[in-house]
Amino acid sequence: MSTPSNLDLAAHPLVAGILGGLVGLRFVPGMSWPERLTNLAAGGLLSYYTAPALVGWWGLSEQMLGFLGFLIGMFGLSVASAVLQAIRQLDLADVIRSWISRR
């Protein structure tokens, strides 16, 4: 049994997500250290759970796992924040009214 190389370790979705999160922190100034650590952990976990699923769903090769994990770690929390903000700003009553008026 061979030992994993550093390249294999860096391509692991959890590690790649944390590394992507580190790069992403560069673009978010003014965060406290606990917030930074929370974002790194969340980016790593988001990558760990979603990167393999997306590789399978999109039919990508296994070599794309680390790259996708890095991107998810770097942008995943920003995307999640934007989606939650859009949901909060959505006026559900208007959506329901327009849906009913079309019927």
Side-chain angles (χ1 to χ4, degrees), residues 5-96:
S5 70
N6 288 340
L7 185 58
D8 292 339
L9 183 61
H12 189 278
L14 180 62
V15 175
I18 291 171
L19 293 174
L22 278 172
V23 173
L25 285 178
R26 175 72 175 107
F27 303 105
V28 186
M31 295 179 79
S32 68
W33 280 103
E35 289 172 326
R36 291 173 191 240
L37 292 175
T38 301
N39 280 354
L40 288 177
L45 289 172
L46 185 64
S47 173
Y48 178 75
Y49 287 109
T50 59
L54 290 175
V55 163
W57 185 31
W58 291 338
L60 301 173
S61 70
E62 289 293 319
Q63 285 122 353
M64 295 296 290
L65 190 58
F67 175 69
L68 189 58
F70 182 84
L71 291 178
I72 291 170
M74 190 163 127
F75 297 115
L77 295 177
S78 296
V79 171
S81 175
V83 167
L84 288 175
Q85 185 69 18
I87 290 171
R88 286 186 190 117
Q89 292 177 347
L90 179 68
D91 189 0
L92 192 57
D94 284 343
V95 171
I96 292 172

